[in-house]
Amino acid sequence: MSQNLVDNLANPADPADPGEASPGEAGPGLARPVDTGTGPGPGHRVDVRRGLRFLLRRPGLLLSVAVLVLVVLASFWPDLFTSQDPLKGVPSQNFRGPSGTHWFGTDELGRDVFSRVVHGAQLSLKATLIAVLVAFVVGGLLGMVAGFVGRWVDDVLMRFVDVLLSIPALFLSLALVTALGYGTVKVAVAVGIASVAAFARVARAEVLRVRQAVFVEASRSCGARWYSVLGRHVLPNAAGPVIVLATLDFGSSILAVSALSFLGYGAPPPAPEWGTLISDGRNYLANAWWLTALPGLAIAATVLATNRIARALDGEWSRQR
């Protein structure tokens, strides 16, 4: 909308010839077109068809969306997939392999591994969402302020970001979670802070790009306040790549949260976090491979699905439009 307004101001239409009618005006003897309001027109239907065609031509993307939907449903409504208690074990049924009764087998205490994976999705996804939210908000604010204000503020904030980038993310997460303490939320905060630098860099680059656009300069020349320019023009046009990065960071955050849980920094036992499940099953790889392989497969499928969706949002969809 802002771009169209600036184009109209920069290139005003020539006065209409008396014998001709403009597209939005009625000519002599002709009725004025009726405004149908803001209801969905043919363009909306074309966009829907284009989106469906885009998905149907990419079966891998469809599968990735299905996997992510199942993980989200398991996180919020685990009873849709299993009715078994993830904490209750039957010692007489320990180390049972995958079967129709126990899809992922049972562990050393006779607990159903599938129910533990399903209920563990709630803890792992909760930590992942908190981590991505922390990185998105803090990193986005740092990059927005650095790119929009500039000058010495940009220099100070970017040097701080460079320090964060110089430390490997996993090592920084380990240091932070050691200082904060154990627990799912603290692990999520540590992973989120370790990802702040990447969001700050991308947000700053996009704000710098949009700030130099013609419609932003036109808005400033019209006397608009800085917060109006920032809220109405800069942020909406700079948010796209940051959102794509958040989708891509979702997968890496799952890996980081699972890694810290594997090392024992997550929720205490018997909480069925995905990383904890793999850590508990590594001692029985010789006779019960499913205790580690199947939870690991769930993590790998979720990460690959989010990466595939992020790749589609980043380049494929924009090229089709």
Side-chain angles (χ1 to χ4, degrees):
M1 183 181 295
S2 302
Q3 185 67 53
N4 295 333
L5 178 61
V6 173
D7 292 340
N8 293 334
L9 292 174
N11 301 308
D14 293 331
D17 186 77
E20 296 180 357
S22 62
E25 298 177 356
L30 297 178
R32 182 182 298 275
V34 178
D35 186 8
T36 57
T38 58
H44 291 77
R45 292 193 294 270
V46 171
D47 289 339
V48 172
R49 288 198 296 268
R50 183 182 301 171
L52 291 176
R53 194 183 309 117
F54 176 81
L55 287 174
L56 292 177
R57 290 178 178 177
R58 291 164 175 81
L61 181 58
L62 273 177
L63 180 61
S64 300
V65 172
V67 169
L68 195 59
V69 168
L70 290 176
V71 172
V72 172
L73 290 176
S75 303
F76 290 96
W77 299 283
D79 293 336
L80 291 175
F81 299 91
T82 179
S83 59
Q84 300 193 42
D85 189 351
L87 304 180
K88 182 179 179 181
V90 181
S92 61
Q93 297 183 1
N94 61 340
F95 294 122
R96 298 293 177 90
S99 62
T101 305
H102 304 285
W103 290 1
F104 285 8
T106 60
D107 61 6
E108 70 277 8
L109 299 178
R111 296 172 297 191
D112 183 69
V113 177
F114 178 74
S115 66
R116 289 177 64 78
V117 170
V118 170
H119 285 82
Q122 183 176 12
L123 293 173
S124 297
L125 190 65
K126 171 187 172 183
T128 303
L129 290 175
I130 294 175
V132 173
L133 185 62
V134 169
F136 182 84
V137 173
V138 178
L141 286 176
L142 289 177
M144 178 192 68
V145 173
F148 192 76
V149 177
R151 298 188 296 276
W152 64 269
V153 177
D154 185 14
D155 294 336
V156 172
L157 291 179
M158 286 301 103
R159 297 301 76 75
F160 172 71
V161 170
D162 290 339
V163 172
L164 292 180
L165 287 173
S166 65
I167 306 173
L170 185 58
F171 291 166
L172 182 58
S173 300
L174 283 171
L176 291 173
V177 78
T178 303
L180 295 174
Y182 297 0
T184 302
V185 176
K186 295 176 181 179
V187 165
V189 172
V191 172
I193 294 176
S195 304
V196 162
F199 281 85
R201 279 292 185 183
V202 173
R204 174 182 176 270
E206 289 302 310
V207 170
L208 286 175
R209 179 184 63 82
V210 176
R211 192 183 65 175
Q212 299 173 357
V214 177
F215 61 93
V216 174
E217 296 295 335
S219 179
R220 285 178 172 176
S221 65
C222 292
R225 303 279 185 175
W226 66 268
Y227 50 83
S228 176
V229 174
L230 181 63
R232 296 182 58 185
H233 302 300
V234 176
L235 288 183
N237 290 282
V242 184
I243 294 175
V244 172
L245 178 61
T247 308
L248 189 61
D249 188 67
F250 190 86
S252 59
S253 295
I254 291 177
L255 290 177
V257 169
S258 300
L260 292 178
S261 299
F262 177 85
L263 296 175
Y265 291 99
E273 275 191 314
W274 284 352
T276 306
L277 294 178
I278 297 177
S279 178
D280 293 341
R282 62 179 172 170
N283 298 322
Y284 307 100
L285 283 174
N287 61 333
W289 56 268
W290 56 88
L291 297 181
T292 299
L294 296 182
L297 182 62
I299 296 174
T302 306
V303 173
L304 291 175
T306 54
N307 289 347
R308 181 64 183 89
I309 294 172
R311 184 159 60 90
L313 292 176
D314 187 23
E316 296 179 10
W317 173 247
S318 60
R319 289 195 297 268
Q320 293 290 326
R321 298 187 64 179

